Amino acid sequence: MAQTENSFDARTELEVGGRSYTIYSLESLQSRFDVARLPFSLKILLENLLRNEDGVGVRAQDVEALASWDHNAEPSVEIAFTPARVVLQDFTGVPCVVDLAAMRDAMADMGGDPAKVDPLVPAELVIDHSVQVDVAGTRDAFARNKEIEFERNEERYAFLKWGQQAFETFKAVPPGIGIVHQVNLEYLARVVFDEDGVLYPDTLVGTDSHTTMINGLGVLGWGVGGIEAEAAMLGQPMSMLIPQVVGFKLSGELPEGATATDLVLTVTEQLRGYGVVGKFVEFFGPGVTALPLADRATIGNMSPEFGSTCAIFPIDEETLRYLAFTGRPKEQVDRVEAYAKAQGLWHDAESEEPTYSDVLELDLSTVVPSLAGPKRPQDRVSLTESKERFHEALRGVQPDMNGHDDAMADTFPASDPSTGQAPGGKMEAEAERESQPTPATVTAESHATPVTLADGTQTELDHGHVVIAAITSCTNTSNPSVMLAAGLLARNAVAKGLEAKPWVQTSLAPGSKVVTEYYERAGLTGDLEALGFHLVGYGCTTCIGNSGPLPEEVSKVVNEADLAVCSVLSGNRNFEGRINPDVKMNYLASPPLVVAYALAGTLDWDPYGEPFPGSDVYLKDIWPSAAEVAETVLEAVQSDMFRASYADVFEGDDNWRGLEVSGGDRYDWDPESTYVRRPTFLEDVPAEPEAVADIEGARVLARLGDSVTTDHISPAGAIKKGSPAGAYLEDHGIAPKDFNSYGSRRGNHEVMVRGTFANIRLRNQLAPGTEGGVTRYLGDGDGDPEAMTIYDAAMRYSETGTPLVVLAGKEYGSGSSRDWAAKGTRLLGVRAVIAESYERIHRSNLVGMGVLPLQFADGESAESLGLTGEEEFSITGLGSGDAKEVVVRAGDTEFTCRVRIDTPKEVEYYRHGGILPFVLRQLRDS
């Protein structure tokens, strides 16, 4: 580890187990600053600054600014955070490795040493996003799904295996092991790093929004875009503003019948309503000690759903217990304890309450069984009101909503996500209900429609029928209490003669192999399988839209009768169109409730007042007690399971070991590949950055409204025949059945740029009356502008050298951290985006790709300025990229915009044309 300036004489020694370690002591600051009062998360950031103080990126005044944190201040002071490691999943990780491989080529082209391009911090990728529920409800589902997964993804898997061999500090966990966040929790996390005898907190960024699950273990980390992650991998500190920290005080204990899932849905509702976007959330209080580590991780996982950057728990006895239980060596556990206590990072009953920007409170005893839905995770519904609220939601479902939104759109309503309120101050759910047309087109009246299933069973489908019941996602499958509760409920249901309804697609996708091992040890596998909950894979499935197709006969009836059918899943996201294109209403629930709704087969059911349809059995008759669940967890979940599951975690199965990869430090690009190609934005990189220039003669590619998410912008979901991406693949000899998804082809920029702004839910106001990736080409100047795909229009503009801009409303780029939302924007030729406001990650990613993010002045918008999008635009006053404001002229209208290049480091990135060219030049000259 490089020496630091050590201006505060913080470097000292710590004895652990007879060995002396170096630490950067926070106590060294206490005489000048009251650092003991700082929140746990800020103490971690403060140590990060002390250890990385170099007088340039991190200066003494940065340390002082954080040490003297004003809990009431609005964030305005920039610091540089250097994460200890980077975690990737395969969809977002493949383009990261593609860029690293391309950077080696670019380095050689610039006359530098390609070997300098190598992650400088550990980068660990878990392949978990590619498995799909193609086969469900059978004993061979896992084997068949894995076989299909390898058939679809062999080329990209071989590329990742090459990366594991080519880069010193990059490791890939093969498919079939588990979900990235659960593997991170159970195996990868260090909590305290030991690097050459220097101890420091484990910190990370990850290319998945739910990286925050690791916060439950006392590890500070959050999700970023792939572009930011690549820079972090290459040793670039991340610029950030010192945040506000909201304390969340927990007291009491969960009551009988309430689960960790119910708790997290309650917390999500409360924090989204309060408004924590861009803030840290930190849990404290006597209730923390009552929460098992798995429950803490479940809460941390949902941080993106309530909008905070992180949602962290402190280090305490439970942290140590979990580390030891999951197989971490005793010396590691001892280091964590000694370090946490020496640095004031330890929490116990005597711990002093930190100072927070604000404090919220929750008595755990008030938590009740709940669902969330039908389209947002913060819309909690008490189980006692579930039938009534379902009917209310059904009246709000619009006809013809089956728009087959394969793009998994994270659709947020047009409202202020920091307050959860719609215009006028009403809560969004209330405002939405009041705004629905009366009488509603879809009603709660029976629309029962006959259907003959594949096995010959004749039944009926109706509004509210549950067609997908999935125990899935990282959120809950890491939690033995809710997973075993599901198994126990299944056992009790089988004993009562209950069966899952025949129209329900049931699936079990645990987060790691440990889950199936403790199911076996508890003797619950057979009961789950009796209800159709067979293992379908270890990975992210239904929660990210990999639910697989519904049975053809079910899909046909749902679409022809325009039925509002439902999914119930133990996931974290239920946005409209995300789970399955045929399913209009999606509900988040605990794993035991997922099983219960598979038995009921409908949301049109009162779990408290009515027996299961067609039975005299009530939910209370089969619901396992908290004591029974706890006893089963104690007996079935054993430490040896974790050691065995992770003994050869990087080796993989025969499929992985059999992949043939070319050796060498530089990748041998296949010019015929449709999965992995050298990206054009890393070709012909000039040795020195070109001067920043004003933008003249620009045209609008898209004029968009509020709450356009990265899922609207970024290519995602299935590739459609006849789309620009589909045409490209067919031109390269790929049959439509082998198109695969955009996610699987993220390593091919030619596919991805054609899918940018192609989401079928996108509404481009420049092409009124259309939906999807359509615009009007304005370059001819005569007659009515021609309508065409956004990609085709962008290519025509490119032929004439015309720069492009995008106009947008509020919260542009919300949702998941998709780097291709920025990469695709850049490759389409967009030079600037002008929006009313931005989500944090996407704005940063735009800068990282050399795209200029501009913000309308307060109170102004495209509408208020009378902009149609047909004007010719010029943007002047950029200077060298450090301007705070620019003048925009659109036709005869002139207005001033704020430049959203927020930090000095981002100025450098923009001046160099993006993060990657900047890093290349830095590495070349190092």
Side-chain angles (χ1 to χ4, degrees), residues 272-275 376 378 413-432 810:
R272 179 58 82 170
Y274 171 81
R376 299 188 311 172
Q378 66 262 38
S415 61
D416 180 356
S418 66
T419 63
Q421 291 187 334
K426 293 183 178 179
M427 292 303 295
E428 291 178 84
E430 178 187 351
E432 285 178 2
K810 300 180 182 67

Side-chain angles (χ1 to χ4, degrees), residues 13-206:
E13 298 300 309
L14 175 68
E15 294 286 333
V16 185
R19 181 181 171 188
S20 181
Y21 295 90
T22 297
I23 68 170
Y24 287 82
S25 173
L26 298 179
E27 180 66 27
S28 64
L29 299 169
Q30 187 63 36
S31 62
R32 294 178 54 189
F33 310 97
D34 188 12
V35 297
R37 72 179 175 86
L38 289 176
F40 173 84
S41 53
L42 294 191
K43 288 179 180 178
I44 294 177
L45 286 181
L46 184 57
E47 187 281 340
N48 199 277
L49 295 181
L50 278 175
R51 179 166 37 86
N52 291 290
E53 184 200 355
D54 59 2
V56 182
V58 179
R59 304 160 300 170
Q61 54 261 49
D62 300 325
V63 176
E64 293 172 351
L66 183 51
S68 57
W69 177 67
D70 179 356
H71 66 284
N72 289 317
E74 288 293 323
S76 61
V77 179
E78 179 205 355
I79 58 172
F81 168 53
T82 306
R85 59 190 177 98
V86 175
V87 169
L88 314 163
Q89 43 99 329
D90 55 310
F91 270 17
T92 52
V94 165
C96 286
V97 182
V98 165
D99 288 353
L100 287 174
M103 286 176 73
R104 283 193 168 176
D105 291 343
M107 179 68 82
D109 294 343
M110 293 169 65
D113 179 6
K116 287 185 174 182
V117 178
D118 204 301
L120 297 179
V121 300
E124 293 148 337
L125 179 146
V126 180
I127 299 174
D128 70 338
H129 270 52
S130 298
V131 62
Q132 179 172 297
V133 186
D134 292 286
V135 181
T138 65
R139 287 215 161 182
D140 67 343
F142 174 59
R144 287 286 297 119
N145 287 331
K146 190 161 67 167
E147 179 183 333
I148 295 168
E149 177 188 356
F150 263 87
E151 289 173 359
R152 286 190 181 124
N153 299 288
E154 182 176 0
E155 185 179 340
R156 45 197 295 273
Y157 287 177
F159 173 71
L160 290 174
K161 190 175 178 181
W162 166 83
Q164 189 171 31
Q165 298 173 2
F167 298 105
E168 288 288 330
T169 50
F170 171 75
K171 292 182 178 180
V173 175
I177 302 297
I179 296 175
V180 57
H181 310 304
Q182 191 160 343
V183 174
N184 193 16
L185 192 74
E186 295 176 352
Y187 180 75
L188 296 176
R190 286 77 158 171
V191 185
V192 171
F193 258 84
D194 171 14
E195 182 181 351
D196 300 326
V198 179
L199 299 185
Y200 55 92
D202 182 4
T203 56
L204 73 151
V205 291

Side-chain angles (χ1 to χ4, degrees), residues 281-294:
V281 170
E282 189 167 306
F283 294 87
F284 72 105
V288 167
T289 58
L291 284 182
L293 200 291

Side-chain angles (χ1 to χ4, degrees), residues 105-112 685-688 917 920-921 924:
D105 291 343
M107 179 68 82
D109 294 343
M110 293 169 65
V685 178
E688 300 299 331
L920 264 177
R921 296 178 183 118
R924 179 199 60 190

Side-chain angles (χ1 to χ4, degrees), residues 102-402:
M103 286 176 73
R104 283 193 168 176
D105 291 343
M107 179 68 82
D109 294 343
M110 293 169 65
D113 179 6
K116 287 185 174 182
V117 178
D118 204 301
L120 297 179
V121 300
E124 293 148 337
L125 179 146
V126 180
I127 299 174
D128 70 338
H129 270 52
S130 298
V131 62
Q132 179 172 297
V133 186
D134 292 286
V135 181
T138 65
R139 287 215 161 182
D140 67 343
F142 174 59
R144 287 286 297 119
N145 287 331
K146 190 161 67 167
E147 179 183 333
I148 295 168
E149 177 188 356
F150 263 87
E151 289 173 359
R152 286 190 181 124
N153 299 288
E154 182 176 0
E155 185 179 340
R156 45 197 295 273
Y157 287 177
F159 173 71
L160 290 174
K161 190 175 178 181
W162 166 83
Q164 189 171 31
Q165 298 173 2
F167 298 105
E168 288 288 330
T169 50
F170 171 75
K171 292 182 178 180
V173 175
I177 302 297
I179 296 175
V180 57
H181 310 304
Q182 191 160 343
V183 174
N184 193 16
L185 192 74
E186 295 176 352
Y187 180 75
L188 296 176
R190 286 77 158 171
V191 185
V192 171
F193 258 84
D194 171 14
E195 182 181 351
D196 300 326
V198 179
L199 299 185
Y200 55 92
D202 182 4
T203 56
L204 73 151
V205 291
T207 58
D208 188 280
S209 300
H210 298 97
T211 298
T212 50
M213 184 168 178
I214 205 63
N215 297 165
L217 197 58
V219 176
L220 182 61
W222 55 83
V224 297
I227 301 162
E228 287 180 292
E230 290 171 36
M233 288 162 62
L234 293 166
Q236 292 297 303
M238 298 178 57
S239 295
M240 61 179 292
L241 299 177
I242 298 175
Q244 291 188 333
V245 183
V246 175
F248 199 109
K249 188 173 185 177
L250 299 175
S251 60
E253 295 185 9
L254 288 175
E256 183 71 34
T259 68
T261 313
D262 304 318
L263 168 60
V264 78
L265 295 179
T266 303
V267 169
T268 299
E269 177 188 45
Q270 187 171 346
L271 283 171
R272 179 58 82 170
Y274 171 81
V276 291
V277 173
K279 300 176 182 178
F280 283 13
V281 170
E282 189 167 306
F283 294 87
F284 72 105
V288 167
T289 58
L291 284 182
L293 200 291
D295 290 12
R296 302 177 189 188
T298 304
I299 293 173
N301 182 283
M302 292 289 279
S303 179
E305 277 59 62
F306 43 81
S308 64
T309 303
C310 68
I312 197 164
F313 286 78
I315 297 171
D316 62 3
E317 288 287 353
E318 173 63 10
T319 315
L320 302 183
R321 184 206 64 80
Y322 184 84
L323 289 173
F325 189 74
T326 50
R328 271 68 168 211
K330 182 180 184 303
E331 55 270 23
Q332 181 182 353
V333 179
D334 291 344
R335 283 196 301 267
V336 170
E337 180 178 9
Y339 183 84
K341 289 180 175 177
Q343 291 283 55
L345 298 173
W346 183 260
H347 178 269
D348 57 29
E350 286 73 45
S351 296
E352 183 181 349
E353 185 174 308
T355 300
Y356 292 109
S357 303
D358 202 352
V359 172
L360 303 179
E361 297 190 35
L362 176 66
D363 181 347
L364 299 178
S365 67
T366 64
V367 173
V368 298
S370 303
L371 305 172
K375 62 180 180 179
R376 299 188 311 172
Q378 66 262 38
D379 292 337
R380 187 184 64 83
V381 177
S382 171
L383 201 59
T384 57
E385 302 174 347
S386 58
K387 182 175 180 177
E388 176 188 355
R389 293 287 295 277
F390 161 71
H391 282 283
E392 290 179 7
L394 183 62
R395 288 193 291 271
V397 174
Q398 296 299 305
D400 252 348
M401 257 181 58
N402 329 319

Side-chain angles (χ1 to χ4, degrees), residues 325-578:
F325 189 74
T326 50
R328 271 68 168 211
K330 182 180 184 303
E331 55 270 23
Q332 181 182 353
V333 179
D334 291 344
R335 283 196 301 267
V336 170
E337 180 178 9
Y339 183 84
K341 289 180 175 177
Q343 291 283 55
L345 298 173
W346 183 260
H347 178 269
D348 57 29
E350 286 73 45
S351 296
E352 183 181 349
E353 185 174 308
T355 300
Y356 292 109
S357 303
D358 202 352
V359 172
L360 303 179
E361 297 190 35
L362 176 66
D363 181 347
L364 299 178
S365 67
T366 64
V367 173
V368 298
S370 303
L371 305 172
K375 62 180 180 179
R376 299 188 311 172
Q378 66 262 38
D379 292 337
R380 187 184 64 83
V381 177
S382 171
L383 201 59
T384 57
E385 302 174 347
S386 58
K387 182 175 180 177
E388 176 188 355
R389 293 287 295 277
F390 161 71
H391 282 283
E392 290 179 7
L394 183 62
R395 288 193 291 271
V397 174
Q398 296 299 305
D400 252 348
M401 257 181 58
N402 329 319
H404 300 280
D405 191 355
D406 291 324
M408 306 184 294
D410 287 2
T411 307
F412 290 89
S415 61
D416 180 356
S418 66
T419 63
Q421 291 187 334
K426 293 183 178 179
M427 292 303 295
E428 291 178 84
E430 178 187 351
E432 285 178 2
R433 287 196 294 272
E434 290 187 2
S435 69
Q436 298 305 329
T438 303
T441 306
V442 177
T443 71
E445 298 172 3
S446 175
H447 285 68
T449 306
V451 59
T452 302
L453 302 177
D455 62 0
T457 301
Q458 293 189 345
T459 186
E460 293 181 332
L461 288 175
D462 203 343
H463 293 318
H465 273 194
V466 175
V467 293
I468 293 175
I471 300 175
T472 178
S473 100
C474 48
T475 314
N476 291 288
T477 62
S478 66
N479 194 317
S481 65
V482 292
M483 294 298 282
L484 284 168
L488 290 170
L489 187 141
R491 183 197 64 188
N492 298 341
V494 170
K496 293 283 189 181
L498 297 176
E499 296 179 343
K501 291 296 184 280
W503 56 81
V504 185
Q505 175 187 292
T506 49
S507 61
L508 169 65
S512 79
K513 292 182 177 180
V514 173
V515 178
T516 46
E517 289 186 38
Y518 62 63
Y519 272 152
E520 285 288 339
R521 192 168 293 191
L524 297 173
T525 302
D527 296 307
L528 285 162
E529 290 182 346
L531 300 181
F533 287 93
H534 296 78
L535 174 68
V536 295
Y538 299 99
C540 293
T541 54
T542 305
C543 193
I544 63 165
N546 285 359
S547 60
L550 295 181
E552 185 177 345
E553 61 276 11
V554 172
S555 177
K556 185 172 185 290
V557 167
V558 166
N559 284 281
E560 287 181 352
D562 194 26
L563 296 178
V565 292
C566 306
S567 73
V568 180
L569 62 149
S570 63
N572 46 42
R573 288 191 168 168
N574 57 335
F575 302 125
E576 178 187 342
R578 179 183 179 97

Side-chain angles (χ1 to χ4, degrees), residues 715-767:
I719 299 173
K720 298 292 188 183
K721 181 178 172 63
S723 68
Y728 166 86
L729 291 173
E730 288 199 87
D731 287 346
H732 284 73
I734 307 299
K737 68 180 181 65
D738 298 320
F739 280 179
N740 212 331
S741 65
Y742 283 108
S744 68
R745 294 188 183 271
R746 284 188 185 183
N748 182 349
H749 63 281
E750 296 285 4
V751 170
M752 299 302 282
V753 69
R754 286 166 169 80
T756 303
F757 291 112
N759 186 307
I760 65 165
R761 294 287 190 202
L762 187 77
R763 292 179 178 87
N764 183 3
Q765 297 167 16
L766 199 59

